[in-house]
Amino acid sequence: MAFKIIEGCVNCWACEPLCPSKAIFEAKPHFLIDAKKCTECEGDYADAQCASICPIEGVILNGMGVPVNPPGSLTGIPPERLAAARAEIQAR
């Protein structure tokens, strides 16, 4: 199966040079992954390189449509905890 980049991508170029299979390419309105080339970094790296560098959480999906860089993956803060903290700040 191959990964997929969805519309939240901001075309920052972070992932493209890291892809060991050269599956990521520039497109409009956002970068795409060539499914025929994508190996999900299996055999090359323990973690998918695109997902490990992507600054936008939730825009890289696995073959089942599940984000490989889900919300909270960059900050380490679970989304529900972050929402609770924001609500507390707004209540002040």
Side-chain angles (χ1 to χ4, degrees):
M1 295 201 149
F3 289 159
K4 179 180 180 179
I5 298 174
I6 60 172
E7 59 273 354
C9 171
V10 296
N11 294 338
C12 70
W13 287 90
C15 61
E16 190 270 342
L18 291 184
C19 182
S21 59
K22 306 295 182 209
I24 299 172
F25 61 96
E26 182 181 19
K28 297 288 181 189
H30 57 79
F31 277 69
L32 296 174
I33 297 176
D34 183 337
K36 293 177 184 172
K37 291 182 179 180
C38 180
T39 63
E40 297 182 5
C41 294
E42 287 185 21
D44 292 312
Y45 298 94
D47 297 315
Q49 296 300 284
C50 58
S52 70
I53 195 71
C54 182
I56 310 299
E57 295 174 331
V59 299
I60 301 176
L61 309 179
N62 66 17
M64 299 186 65
V66 177
V68 289
N69 63 338
S73 62
L74 289 176
T75 63
I77 302 169
E80 57 278 355
R81 187 169 179 198
L82 187 58
R86 286 183 177 148
E88 184 180 319
I89 290 169
Q90 289 177 347
R92 292 183 189 169

